[in-house]
Amino acid sequence: DGGITQSPKYLFRKEGQNVTLSCEQNLNHDAMYWYRQDPGQGLRLIYYSQIVNDFQKGDIAEGYSVSREKKESFPLTVTSAQKNPTAFYLCASSSDRGFNEKLFFGSGTQLSVL
Amino acid sequence: GESVGLHLPTLSVQEGDNSIINCAYSNSASDYFIWYKQESGKGPQFIIDIRSNMDKRQGQRVTVLLNKTVKHLSLQIAATQPGDSAVYFCAENIRRGKTGGFKTIFGAGTRLFVKA
């Protein structure tokens, strides 16, 4: 089945620690995205990538880093500089072909601070 | 810094009734609008879309209405079922500018409760 796989489902971070969230897609989509969702709120864009080896900051990139070495993979690292990392993180992909692109989302990773 | 948490608007309906979820968008140049459904603990899923040159589009039990004059979008769900309980987001696609392509701007979302 084609889709987007995020792992792990739940992740705990100790203070001062960097953690990496995995996102893999087999939809052959060019564009991939990371969103943050806080309880009772909408989605805020962290980073996006339209092509391999290239990525752009979204609205709340501070304290996060990404890489796009392969088309299928777009891992997100939450660094120790992110002082309030507890949130639900969503990865998405799209064909990015034009104005009518639709986002396909993974099941999310819940990150909590110990 | 982080924003203060806000409570999502909530709509509570009786099973079998029709639901109407409303959304105001901001960019008059948006060409395309989408509704997503997010069930608890999952990622959003596409429900239905509409282009800016249309004012109504129907799917299976769902209808989207677009009023460009007042920049308003609505999602109507017919004969609402318990499985429709979720958070619903409207979204608009706008041009990114320098980097090309389009980006999706999400609304705040509405939580739908369906009472059995």
Side-chain angles (χ1 to χ4, degrees):
Chain A
D1 288 335
I4 301 179
T5 302
Q6 288 186 243
S7 63
K9 181 69 174 173
Y10 301 96
L11 186 59
F12 297 92
R13 193 191 88 166
K14 294 179 182 178
E15 197 167 332
Q17 186 182 43
N18 293 351
V19 292
T20 298
L21 285 60
S22 171
C23 178
E24 303 277 332
Q25 56 101 356
N26 60 5
L27 299 167
N28 198 33
H29 283 169
D30 291 315
M32 297 187 74
Y33 308 81
W34 275 104
Y35 287 90
R36 170 179 172 139
Q37 187 174 33
D38 291 283
Q41 296 192 44
L43 282 69
R44 293 185 289 169
L45 183 64
I46 305 173
Y47 268 99
Y48 66 96
S49 168
Q50 294 176 264
I51 197 168
V52 174
N53 293 322
D54 186 52
F55 49 83
Q56 306 292 330
K57 292 182 179 180
D59 301 317
I60 55 165
E62 186 176 349
Y64 300 97
S65 65
V66 293
S67 62
R68 187 83 186 279
E69 297 176 2
K70 298 187 299 181
K71 187 176 184 177
E72 303 79 16
S73 179
F74 191 41
L76 173 74
T77 297
V78 184
T79 74
S80 57
Q82 173 49 247
K83 298 306 178 188
N84 186 18
T86 296
F88 190 53
Y89 290 86
L90 287 159
C91 179
S93 70
S94 74
S95 59
D96 199 32
R97 297 284 181 217
F99 72 94
N100 60 343
E101 69 167 7
K102 302 171 187 57
L103 296 175
F104 293 80
F105 286 88
S107 295
T109 294
Q110 177 64 51
L111 176 62
S112 302
V113 178
L114 290 176
Chain B
E2 297 296 326
S3 61
V4 175
L6 300 172
H7 290 291
L8 284 174
T10 299
L11 175 65
S12 186
V13 299
Q14 197 69 38
E15 181 180 0
D17 288 350
N18 296 336
S19 303
I20 300 176
I21 300 171
N22 296 304
C23 175
Y25 64 92
S26 57
N27 193 325
S28 57
S30 297
D31 292 321
Y32 181 67
F33 303 87
I34 315 111
W35 280 98
Y36 290 91
K37 172 186 179 183
Q38 185 179 24
E39 297 178 14
S40 181
K42 297 183 180 180
Q45 287 184 300
F46 168 86
I47 303 174
I48 191 167
D49 56 359
I50 188 167
R51 287 190 62 175
S52 59
N53 61 355
M54 304 169 68
D55 53 20
K56 180 179 180 179
R57 188 158 189 229
Q58 286 184 291
Q60 187 177 15
R61 281 202 309 118
V62 293
T63 300
V64 55
L65 299 177
L66 175 62
N67 185 331
K68 292 183 289 293
T69 302
V70 294
K71 290 191 274 187
H72 183 268
L73 198 65
S74 69
L75 177 70
Q76 300 178 359
I77 304 174
T80 312
Q81 302 169 0
D84 295 326
S85 293
V87 176
Y88 290 82
F89 292 100
C90 65
E92 56 184 311
N93 283 1
I94 60 174
R95 290 186 183 275
R96 283 199 188 112
K98 287 183 181 179
T99 57
F102 291 79
K103 65 178 179 180
T104 301
I105 306 297
F106 285 88
T110 296
R111 187 181 299 279
L112 176 65
F113 287 106
V114 181
K115 296 176 288 187

